[in-house]
Amino acid sequence: MAYNSVQFLGFSINTMPAGDADPTNPFQLKYLGNTNSKIDVSKRCQVMMDAVRAAAKSVTIAGSNTLKIFMAPEFFFRGDRGAYPIEEVSTILPRLRQWTHSPAYKDWLFVFGSALGYLTDGQAKEIFNVALIQRGGTEADDKDNARLVFKEYISRVDFIRPKAYTAKVCPNCNTMVYANEFTNWDVNRPDHRLGLANTPDQRMSVLRPTQGSRDHLSKSTNAPGRGKENSASGLGGGGHFTMAGIRFGLEVCLDHYNGRLKASPPAAGEVYPQIHLIPSAGVNITQASVACANQGIIFNVDGGGHIQLAQNAGTYDVPHVSPWAWLFPPNVGGWVDVKLVQPRKDGADYFVGGGGMVYISYVANLPPTVPAPP
């Protein structure tokens, strides 16, 4: 059906690594989760659906003419080694579909945060950080009902690395390395691109971005340009897509800060994104990188705790962010409802703090469609 309004549901849950007081851990941090990746994925899917069900019970959930957009933060799926073998990532959306196909979610669109996977390439690991998008109320998983958007850039905080001035030996540098020696992260050198994509007693790996990325150490690069963020199959990783009759733009965390979508605007005649989605873990809405038309809505859910909802009061070329609902705990303003997600008995084994909260926005009018000029 055609929607005339939207409602935003932000799942606020801490997806960062936990502190580790174990003196044998030189990193002083650890990834939470289960060593068995299948069990880990299954448990995280249950936590996700706990949040969805909690939100769906709210009396503030709008009716069928409103599309409900539920979004979780970056790194929701990563396991106790920081990333899964890549084949495990492909099991997540089908697992969630066993619940989201219900007619109860026919007017919902889900962004299930991101999942991290890797392919081993000698001493390096090619990293796949994939945002998972799914339409509710159907069993179909074609491009109109399921999408993958790949993160292009690896941030210096995406993986555990030596803490500042720990005076610990870098496991595969054969030298004493301090975090300040890695301040020049954005250089094309493997020795500056080390991170822990394994257990703390294992060696760090060179982190290589997904092929096609413009980030350092990528084996190949796809040039940006007009229309380049489209994906015909829905599996190609591009950040522009249409679902439920609405045009979206999505970029993950550092991609947003670096202006990925702005570098590849829609081709002539294509519609600008009406809604700009930003799952993240360490990034706010960045005005210069906003990539939606006038009156477009920007929605950011961050694994560090904040949620932001705003509108572009400017144009696509010259955006101006007008805040609607900004959440920086404990300040909760602009949200019609907050639902506590009761933590599972072992929830703290997977997320710092356990269950999390779902923040539900007021209903907003769907922004108009604006075609890109020649």
Side-chain angles (χ1 to χ4, degrees):
M1 67 172 293
Y3 297 100
N4 56 27
S5 56
V6 286
Q7 186 174 36
F8 297 89
L9 300 89
F11 185 15
S12 177
I13 188 166
N14 190 333
T15 58
M16 301 299 195
D20 189 3
D22 184 347
T24 66
N25 179 357
F27 305 99
Q28 299 179 8
L29 292 170
K30 63 181 178 181
Y31 303 116
L32 297 180
N34 194 294
T35 301
N36 184 312
S37 60
K38 289 180 170 52
I39 294 175
D40 190 274
V41 166
S42 177
K43 180 61 67 172
R44 290 173 191 267
C45 286
Q46 293 170 29
V47 173
M48 183 73 77
M49 289 309 301
D50 285 348
V52 171
R53 284 187 285 262
K57 291 177 182 177
S58 171
V59 296
T60 62
I61 291 296
S64 60
N65 64 342
T66 299
L67 181 69
K68 277 68 73 177
I69 300 173
F70 178 99
M71 188 159 73
E74 184 185 21
F75 303 147
F76 190 90
F77 294 95
R78 75 178 312 167
D80 76 336
R81 300 195 174 195
Y84 305 116
I86 188 58
E87 59 269 16
E88 200 63 52
V89 173
S90 64
T91 71
I92 297 172
L93 283 179
R95 284 176 181 266
L96 290 162
R97 180 58 87 195
Q98 65 181 312
W99 295 295
T100 63
H101 79 276
S102 166
Y105 301 117
K106 66 181 179 63
D107 300 308
W108 292 58
L109 182 147
F110 302 98
V111 181
F112 293 119
S114 77
L116 280 89
Y118 68 85
L119 280 174
T120 300
D121 180 12
Q123 292 296 310
K125 284 187 169 67
E126 182 179 358
I127 300 300
F128 298 82
N129 191 345
V130 187
L132 308 169
I133 304 111
Q134 194 174 70
R135 179 82 188 274
T138 178
E139 293 185 357
D141 280 317
D142 57 16
K143 64 183 178 62
D144 296 321
N145 295 288
R147 287 269 171 171
L148 304 178
V149 176
F150 294 175
K151 186 180 181 184
E152 184 170 348
Y153 293 92
I154 303 175
S155 165
R156 70 183 67 212
V157 298
D158 283 1
F159 287 85
I160 292 174
R161 299 167 59 244
K163 291 177 70 67
Y165 305 108
T166 58
K168 304 293 184 180
V169 176
C170 171
N172 55 350
C173 299
N174 297 318
T175 184
M176 299 294 283
V177 174
Y178 300 88
N180 67 327
E181 293 188 33
F182 288 98
T183 54
N184 195 12
W185 170 257
D186 292 313
V187 293
N188 200 30
R189 285 176 49 179
D191 58 326
H192 279 251
R193 284 274 173 155
L194 291 167
L196 188 68
N198 216 314
T199 52
D201 61 342
Q202 301 296 315
R203 294 187 171 205
M204 290 192 295
S205 302
V206 175
L207 304 180
R208 190 184 300 282
T210 305
Q211 287 196 46
S213 167
R214 288 169 288 165
D215 201 0
H216 298 290
L217 304 186
S218 178
K219 285 190 171 183
S220 63
T221 299
N222 295 334
R226 297 193 70 176
K228 293 291 187 70
E229 285 291 343
N230 295 324
S231 171
S233 67
L235 305 177
H240 286 157
F241 61 94
T242 299
M243 194 173 286
I246 299 171
R247 191 64 173 168
F248 291 91
L250 186 150
E251 52 193 351
V252 179
C253 202
L254 185 60
D255 285 9
H256 172 62
Y257 183 82
N258 286 341
R260 170 181 163 177
L261 292 185
K262 279 309 273 283
S264 295
E270 293 180 349
V271 175
Y272 286 124
Q274 296 163 271
I275 297 175
H276 186 173
L277 302 171
I278 310 164
S280 65
V283 160
N284 301 322
I285 294 173
T286 302
Q287 181 166 279
S289 298
V290 165
C292 56
N294 175 257
Q295 300 181 52
I297 301 172
I298 312 104
F299 185 35
N300 169 221
V301 177
D302 191 88
H306 74 255
I307 300 177
Q308 300 173 331
L309 187 61
Q311 186 175 45
N312 183 10
T315 65
Y316 182 89
D317 293 326
V318 186
H320 177 74
V321 173
S322 176
W324 279 358
W326 295 70
L327 165 66
F328 287 94
N331 176 33
V332 182
W335 301 90
V336 66
D337 195 14
V338 178
K339 303 300 293 185
L340 174 67
V341 179
Q342 296 294 341
R344 288 178 171 264
K345 186 176 296 184
D346 56 354
D349 293 339
Y350 294 83
F351 299 97
V352 176
M357 309 279 283
V358 179
Y359 292 82
I360 304 173
S361 78
Y362 292 91
V363 173
N365 291 331
L366 180 66
T369 57
V370 179

